[in-house]
Amino acid sequence: MTAGGMKAGGMFELIRLTIRNPLGGWLVLAARNWTLADRWGLVFATAAASAILSWLGAQLLPASGGEAGLLAVLAASPMSMAGVQVASAALGAFLLSEVGRVFGGTGRFPDALLAVGWIEAIMVAFQVVQLLATLILPPLGALVGIASLLLAAYLMVGLTMAVHGFRNPLLVVMGILGTVMLASFLLSVLAATLNLFPGGPA
C-alpha cells in the first residue's frame, strides 16, 4: 500500500491512465484521501528513488572525464541529489499554484504539490526503464531518455490544465515557458550574486 491508499497494481494502472488522459488520471488521483503529509511523502519518496537510481546509474555506467559535471557530482551523492530534487519540486509546485492562480486558475498549493509529485513518480518509473535499456543497448537508453523528457513536458501541461481548470493548452505552454525562463533568470542572478557558480570570482 502506498500513500493515498494506492496499491502497487493500481499505481501502475493510474500511470497508464495519466499518460493516456492527464485530466482523467488527475481526477482519479485527486479523489483519493491524500493528506498534506502524504503529498510531501510522495515528493520525498520519488526524490529518494530517483537519487538512488541516478547513483546506481553512475556506478554502473561511469561517465568519462569530459562528461563530469554538476549532474555527475550530484549523482555521486544521493542525499544531495534528493535534496535538490525536493527543493525543485517544492519550487515547481509553488510556481504552478501561484502563477496559475494569477491567470485565473483554481488550483491550490497542495494540488500542485500532488501533481508535481505524481509527475516525478511517473518519471521514476521511466528512469528504471531507461537504466535497464542503457545497460542492454545504450542508444536505446538515450531514446528512452528523450521520450521521458517529452513525456514530462506533456504531463506538466496536462496536469497544470487539470489542476487549474484551464482549457487552452497553447496558453498553458506559453505560461510554463515564461515562468521557467523568468525563474531560471532570477535563480541565475541569485547564484551569481552569492558566488555559487564553480570557478566564479571569489
Side-chain angles (χ1 to χ4, degrees), residues 80-96:
S80 298
M81 173 70 86
V84 168
Q85 289 191 289
V86 169
S88 299
L91 176 61
F94 173 78
L95 292 174
L96 192 158

Side-chain angles (χ1 to χ4, degrees), residues 90-110:
L91 176 61
F94 173 78
L95 292 174
L96 192 158
S97 62
E98 297 307 312
V99 175
R101 289 173 70 86
V102 167
F103 289 96
T106 58
R108 300 171 297 115
F109 177 76

Side-chain angles (χ1 to χ4, degrees), residues 56-57 60-61 129-138 141:
L56 185 59
L60 296 176
L61 303 163
V129 174
Q130 182 182 7
L131 178 58
L132 294 176
T134 302
L135 290 173
I136 297 171
L137 186 63

Side-chain angles (χ1 to χ4, degrees), residues 8 11 25 50 56 59 64 69 89 102 150 159:
M11 182 179 70
S50 179
L56 185 59
Q59 301 306 308
S64 63
V102 167
L150 295 175
L159 290 184

Side-chain angles (χ1 to χ4, degrees), residues 103-119:
F103 289 96
T106 58
R108 300 171 297 115
F109 177 76
D111 300 322
L113 189 66
L114 179 58
V116 171
W118 185 238
I119 292 173

